Amino acid sequence: MSESKPHSVVHSSNHVGDNGSSDAPKDKKKGGIISKIRRRLTVQGDSETLDGGAMAELSRGAGRPKPSDQTEDHHLHLRCAVTEYSGVSKKGHAPYNPRKKNQDALIMADDPATNTLILCVLDGHGEHGDGVSAQFRDQLAMEMMSHPCWATDIKKAAADAIAKVEHQVIRNFRIDTEFSGTTLSMAVIRGNKLTGVNIGDSRVILGLEQDGKLVAEEFTHDHKPDTPGEKERILAAGGRVFAVEYDDGIDGPPRVWLGHMDVPGLAMSRSLGDAVAHTAGVISDPAFTEKELDPSSDRVIVVATDGLWEFIENDETIDLLFPTPGPAEAVDCLVKEANARWMQEEQVIDDTTIIVAHLFDYKASDE
């Protein structure tokens, strides 16, 4: 997005700490004035609506309740590189919040008129994160496909559509975006051309065949607060970047904070929504990557939220899905393994959304 959208800052009960301080160290901070937060999950607080737990169910379509776990399988009949794909969005587990809702969402939409497939994951966070991700899920694909440049300029259509939906979310009085937002990671396949669109720390990777096995290639790149360029922008805007140091001496991820208060503690440098974080240098501009897919080597696309990437690296993701016969089985395998890792490491499970697409009639049994 070339234009910054208005973000009003009024109040919120859902942030990392209730006590502000201008005397915080620049690099890391002990648990004291900052409420203790999980090392990897973005959100923690005392509100009963933490992770959207007490919000009314949002509807999918006419009167249909949105399921906590959303699964779709597809065989594609477009003239594009993808021949089969499957996706699931699975609610996590938080023992402190039995009413927790799935704040992730997925988009899988095809446009026969342009032979284009959209595969997108969204990772909502904050008290109203599920509302933010749901509005993008319900509106983004249509906004992209109805854009006047959709047939000729995917990047402009995507950037403008994202900006438009974000503006609508910010203006939606039912969704408080001051301390809530979502990531977005998307693969757009038109013919044999792949366009990656990324905001935040969800991710798109490719599985390439080399010497009879699949190897991983990172296609989009996470927006972390300590990434060069991202950190400089945040500091220039008056924000701070540091990690919380816990009593056991282990640091959490670097987070974005206001210059004069220990809020919001966002663990990414780009996001949609998050009005308070945007005053500290966080932006919602998408980063684009492009590639002409090669029928001789490109085999698989994986699009996922950090429910997968937090404990499973790119290479291991490809190793895990390599033996599976199809995208549906690959998605199931990855979700189960990711959930097991979360329980082992953190005793909670993050919402996890994964899409796997096979390219050029790839079948694991063929290799």
Side-chain angles (χ1 to χ4, degrees):
M1 276 182 307
S2 58
E3 293 184 359
S4 60
K5 297 298 178 182
H7 295 268
S8 63
V9 181
V10 185
H11 69 278
S12 175
S13 61
N14 185 50
H15 49 75
V16 173
D18 293 327
N19 298 319
S21 171
S22 60
D23 302 322
K26 300 301 183 185
D27 296 320
K28 63 178 69 172
K29 192 170 181 69
K30 294 244 182 218
I33 95 176
I34 300 176
S35 305
K36 183 162 184 177
I37 49 181
R38 297 193 299 278
R39 289 179 188 140
R40 295 175 176 87
L41 297 186
T42 300
V43 179
Q44 178 71 18
D46 300 324
S47 170
E48 68 173 5
T49 53
L50 177 65
D51 294 333
M55 289 182 64
E57 286 283 356
L58 294 162
S59 62
R60 291 183 74 235
R64 290 180 295 158
K66 172 189 167 188
S68 60
D69 295 351
Q70 176 187 353
T71 307
E72 299 181 30
D73 303 324
H74 295 274
H75 292 268
L76 197 63
H77 301 290
L78 300 179
R79 293 191 300 275
C80 84
V82 175
T83 49
E84 185 180 3
Y85 61 97
S86 180
V88 64
S89 185
K90 184 175 177 60
K91 183 177 74 171
H93 168 70
Y96 56 82
N97 183 15
R99 292 181 292 176
K100 172 180 166 48
K101 301 169 81 171
N102 187 1
Q103 295 190 294
D104 279 11
L106 62 79
I107 301 169
M108 299 192 292
D110 60 84
D111 178 27
T114 58
N115 287 304
T116 306
L117 176 65
I118 298 171
L119 304 175
C120 178
V121 299
L122 301 138
D123 183 355
H125 52 262
E127 188 172 330
H128 296 264
D130 56 337
V132 180
S133 63
Q135 188 155 341
F136 274 90
R137 178 198 65 205
D138 295 341
Q139 297 180 8
L140 182 59
M142 186 58 65
E143 292 291 349
M144 290 172 60
M145 293 179 188
S146 61
H147 192 282
C149 293
W150 170 240
T152 58
D153 191 339
I154 290 174
K155 291 193 291 184
K156 179 171 176 51
D160 289 353
I162 289 168
K164 181 177 180 180
V165 177
E166 184 188 29
H167 188 56
Q168 292 170 345
V169 171
I170 292 168
R171 291 173 57 112
N172 187 338
F173 71 90
R174 294 185 177 90
I175 303 174
D176 184 350
T177 59
E178 289 166 9
F179 290 87
S180 298
T182 186
T183 70
L184 179 151
S185 196
M186 178 163 51
V188 183
I189 305 96
R190 176 172 293 171
N192 287 2
K193 184 176 182 180
L194 172 63
T195 301
V197 187
N198 193 54
I199 301 169
D201 59 1
S202 297
R203 191 182 309 156
V204 180
I205 70 168
L206 287 166
L208 283 63
E209 182 186 352
Q210 292 182 2
D211 300 323
K213 67 171 292 186
L214 291 185
V215 297
E217 177 183 285
E218 188 167 292
F219 188 60
T220 64
H221 307 290
D222 299 358
H223 294 127
K224 298 292 190 181
D226 59 341
T227 302
E230 300 293 302
K231 183 175 182 179
E232 283 76 2
R233 185 189 66 246
I234 293 165
L235 297 178
R240 296 173 294 156
V241 175
F242 63 85
V244 175
E245 182 182 316
Y246 295 90
D247 294 337
D248 58 9
I250 300 176
D251 291 350
R255 297 177 183 271
V256 180
W257 313 86
L258 298 182
H260 62 291
M261 293 181 67
D262 290 328
V263 296
L266 190 65
M268 65 202 72
S269 59
R270 300 193 190 195
S271 70
L272 295 158
D274 287 302
V276 170
H278 278 240
T279 68
V282 171
I283 61 174
S284 50
D285 297 32
F288 293 98
T289 46
E290 295 178 289
K291 174 177 179 171
E292 192 71 22
L293 293 168
D294 185 350
S296 69
S297 60
D298 295 326
R299 297 290 178 255
V300 178
I301 298 172
V302 181
V303 189
T305 62
D306 70 349
L308 174 66
W309 306 122
E310 190 61 60
F311 295 112
I312 302 180
E313 299 293 334
N314 297 342
D315 290 336
E316 189 178 6
T317 295
I318 297 301
D319 290 342
L320 286 167
L321 65 78
F322 178 68
T324 59
E329 294 82 2
V331 167
D332 184 57
C333 170
L334 293 174
V335 168
K336 287 180 179 178
E337 184 61 27
N339 287 358
R341 301 280 181 95
W342 273 96
M343 282 303 294
Q344 178 182 354
E345 296 288 337
E346 297 285 344
Q347 292 76 54
V348 298
I349 301 173
D350 195 8
D351 301 330
T352 305
T353 301
I354 302 172
I355 303 171
V356 174
H358 280 188
L359 304 171
F360 305 113
D361 294 305
Y362 167 72
K363 296 290 183 184
S365 58
D366 294 341
E367 305 304 324

